[in-house]
Amino acid sequence: MPQLIKYLLLLICLGFGIVSASSDYSEQLLLRPLHPSSLLASFNFQSNASWESFEQQNFRYFPRSLGQILQFANTRELHLRFSLGRWDAENWGARPWGGAREGGTGVELWAWVEADTDEEADGRWLTLTNALSGLFCASLNFIDSTRTTRPVMSFQPSNDHSNATLANLHLLHGTLPREVVCTENLTPFLKLLPCKGKAGISSLLDGHKLFDASWQSMSIDVRPICPEGPGDCQIQITQTIDMVLDIQRSKRPRDNPIPRPVPEHELRCDTTKPYHSGDTCYPLDIAQDENWSMTEIFGHAMKGSCPLMDEGATPVCINVPHARDVFTSGGAVERKDESGFMRCFELAAEQDFEVVLPSQDLPERAPLEQPLLYAERSFTGYGQERGGVQAILTNPSTTEAVDFVYMESLPWFMKVYLHTLKAKINGVDGDVIQEMYYRPAQDRKRGTQLEIRMRIPQNSTVVLNYDFEKAILRYTEYPPDANRGFDIAAAVITIGNVSIRTTSLLLSLPTPDFSMPYNVIILTSTVMALAFGMVFNLLVRRFVGADEAEQWDIRAIRLRLLAQLRTIIGRFKKEQKVVKTE
Amino acid sequence: MALLSSGVLLKRDPRLLKLPPYLSFLCIAVGIAWLLLLPLNDYSRRTYISENALLPGQVHTYFAGSDQHVFRGFKHEVDALEGKSNTEVNDKLEEFFKAAGLKVARQKFEYKSAGEVYQGENIYAILHAPRGDATEAIVLVGAWKNVEEEFNRSGVALVLTLARYFKRWSLWSKDIIFLVTPDSRAGPQAWVDAYHDTQSSPAIQPLPLKSGALQGAVVIDYPFNHRFESLHIVYDGINGQLPNLDLFNTVVSIASGQMGIGVTLQRMWNHKDDYRERLQTMLRGMLKQGLGHASGPHSSFIPYHVDAITLQPYGEGWQDEMAMGRVIESTFRSLNNLLEHLHQSFFFYLLMHSGRFVSIGTYLPSAMLVAINFTIMAIYLWVKSGTPNSKSTKVASTMEGKPAPLEVAKAGDAIAILPEEITGVRERELFLPLAVVAGTQFLGVLPLYIFNHTTHSMLSIVFGIFAILNTVLPYFISKSIIDYFGPTTQQYQLIKSFSLLLLGMFLSSLATLNFSLAFLVGLFAAPLTYIQPLPGRPILVTVLSLLINVLAPTAVILAGVFAWELNLGEVLKEAAFGWDIWGMNTQVVVWCVWWPAWL
């Protein structure tokens, strides 16, 4: 099924062609219906800037905010991913862009930083993460040394770095599996685009729809390219948004999103059932209905094309068989691809563009590309002390073996027993591990990094198992909502240019009862107060015998008052005497 | 010096030495009285929701309208499958789940216990959280047959309808797993074991499809066609473990508060919420907890720290299946709100009404007091066995007017001159008592092994033989000990002391794990404290030994079986099943703690 890759490559090449020819900006939306009742929307925005103008801070299509951060942090190549949800490889086939434009759940960032020493690289990485954190409203500043790894086999820099820079490049990789990607990340993302979500395909991007998707991924890649040899280098920024929308869900009106039971007359029943009657219904397959329009799916039609694009560019493509009816509006020109499953539209500027796919009974479907590998990862065991991780990797190909690198970066409190790492191939112990890079964790300093190069023969399943021990954290080290557990970042599987990420995991650690410190504080304070009161009392108070103590009954007061009075009178008399003597 | 001598004198105070038996009796009495006080308003508390995130009953439920037509449709389909084989049923269920757009997988399992084979195939479907990442999941279970082997017709149809209904919502933050097991005992256990990859035998297949950490499980047990009146919640887990009280409270508040459905527990169908009914509910709960067997498919989840309950509609009323569905919908919405694993509320509690409970802090002392009784007596016997048996000589010496031999006691710089006999300690001959106690403890493994490895048909016979042997065995053992070793009174005391010490220790530690079991065993074993050799009174001895035989574990089991009109073989089969499959440890306690102590 490499046909699809071909299309994609074709599209990309098309984009490249345009880029190098005249404009430095291109955008592309690919819509691909997926089974059952889903739609993949792939947005791709690409612009180039020449290296000289970038160095001189002469930004045109390249966003200034990002460019200055990259320059300040000496970052030569940057990859940032925001992802949510899970790609259903069984139904949806291979991932868009071969998985190269997606990350694990949450935020994933890796960059090649130019620095002379490791320490300097760490410093620049810190600058970079903090600056990006502000730019994208994400907690990227929490990527500290415990979450940063330096992968050895999984990631490769772009080919177009100059040799001098290549020698000083440091790859740093960090993930935040717990980060929830949401609208606040989309807004800055759109701001980086030249058309800023006002025109062109980016006008379809709406937080409500994007974050209601079954799966979505936003990515930013900045890398150098040298299309015409090392002399003429450019810096390229590619922003993509991929999302899989549930057609049924997206079609619900925005003011009434609750999936109430449909009215009885709208219920689609199997009337062939013997018991079918007015109040009994065997429901029909909900996945059959696949009519949709752009307005239904994205909430509104596309607001013209981005004027910064070239004339003759085709920003919207739909991957459906040619036999499928597709109606468009707004003076769009349809261009069908000769492969039979792809058509693209050239849009008129300034006019709203709408695509409608009506209900149609069509047996033919655009072919799905089979993924190279199915990967699934889960925890085994139970309890608060130990656990295990099990990764099931299946090579579906009947003819070809697959070589790949499996990378895990685990937090330090998950103490891996490497000796328990075992790979079973089709249920028997097998020697599939070719090479392994392991960097053990240091408590509170850095996490475990594990990279395994493996080869799975055709039509086989490898089960990778290892055990770990759960560390006990200090109570200040727990995040808020500690009883939720800790998210463990997705494992990254790299097969040449294709990459696959597993789902992330939820690790529950022994968690203290956090009301306990509070109780202890209260109790200690009480004891302290009592002790202090006693000691203070002892120090300050004067102790006298009961008979020595001044008595304070009425008689005593009276006597005392009398005495006072007497002294005053006495003094008065004295004064009088003095006066008399004078 | 004064302190020291008074301490030593106190030790010899005859009043003090007489005290422990009364003290230990007082402990038992207070322990039982304490338990009886618990149902009072002053000692129990109203239930409340601890975890604010749950927000039970705060959402509007939409499971109604045309979904009822769908339910009826599925009901017809499920009814048509009655009596079909497990595989045929699962083929059809797979079709239904797949039509709803869910991922379906199956798991075959096979257990062997008491010579019988329990096998079947679980089927489950996973609804992926629309924006989730397979980190957490909640389970909805509908067993094909419930614990009473009734066909769960409405339950399974409801699971199918809800699967379709839940699929429409995009608000799920956790995956939802719909599990249909062929039975209510082995199937759920096999599934949960395999989910955590702890399945013991290769006959239980690993799960081909998995999701994240299980956060909760709700079981529907709705085996009839008609409308129902109230909801019966079953919450006991294996080994007396209980689900988080918050889960229970959530369902209670949703059912009674939001839906207006009454909630009962422990088969107390008409709970009037007076003292008697509360006590009865609590005692039933304790008995169930003490037996520690699975009371529904949910029981298998609880040992894995997955909070689970079974909902059983009962009675004839006007609540229909959709109301049941709405209770589950609302419960799932609440569970879906959970950010953290259920941890806030209580895990150790006794419920006496759907709205009243006592927590561990309040009820634990009663079991502890019963356990302490054994320890007190053990210490008493130890002290007694160590003191010189010299009353007569003492009397004689004072009669003769001779001064008693003196001894110099030193403690730090304090020196006291005391009569020798006060400080004198008799040397204890420890070997025989220790050997006897250790021997009987190890002997406990024997019945444990026998009852878990005989086949079903043989179980009753074996039990009968064992019961008869059991009545003879103590005489035999004591006779042989007397004949071969000729133990002294001191050794008797020591045997008893060690035995009681062990019992007290086991029970007090057990009380923190399974309060009810510890309390029950403690109560049945309490008379053992006061047994002593009574030479020369044969009638009393016979009466006493009869009494003790009545309180023997075997006799109690038999009595329990007759009282509830059960079949002995079935009970033992169940016990063996529990041991083999659920990892139930009630038997360990019975045979390794209680029985040896009784011996």
Side-chain angles (χ1 to χ4, degrees), chain B residues 248-271:
Chain B
F248 177 85
N249 290 341
T250 306
V251 177
V252 170
S253 93
I254 286 169
S256 56
Q258 193 182 12
M259 309 290 165
I261 304 173
V263 177
T264 54
L265 45 142
Q266 303 298 354
R267 302 183 163 272
M268 300 288 293
W269 306 125
N270 297 302
H271 202 298

Side-chain angles (χ1 to χ4, degrees), chain B residues 6-28:
Chain B
S6 70
V8 176
L9 281 172
L10 199 64
K11 192 175 134 193
R12 294 291 296 155
D13 192 331
R15 279 170 300 175
L16 192 74
L17 274 184
K18 272 188 191 149
L19 197 60
Y22 299 106
L23 195 65
S24 76
F25 184 72
L26 189 74
C27 280
I28 298 175

Side-chain angles (χ1 to χ4, degrees), chain A residues 475 483 511-523, chain B residues 343-344:
Chain A
Y475 89 101
N483 277 289
T511 316
D513 177 0
F514 283 98
S515 64
M516 227 55 192
Y518 168 78
N519 293 343
V520 169
I521 289 167
I522 292 215
L523 198 72
Chain B
H343 69 282
Q344 289 262 20

Side-chain angles (χ1 to χ4, degrees), chain A residues 93-115:
Chain A
R95 287 148 194 264
W97 317 106
R101 304 277 178 83
E102 67 179 84
T105 299
V107 181
E108 190 170 336
L109 170 73
W110 68 100
W112 275 270
V113 176
E114 191 175 4

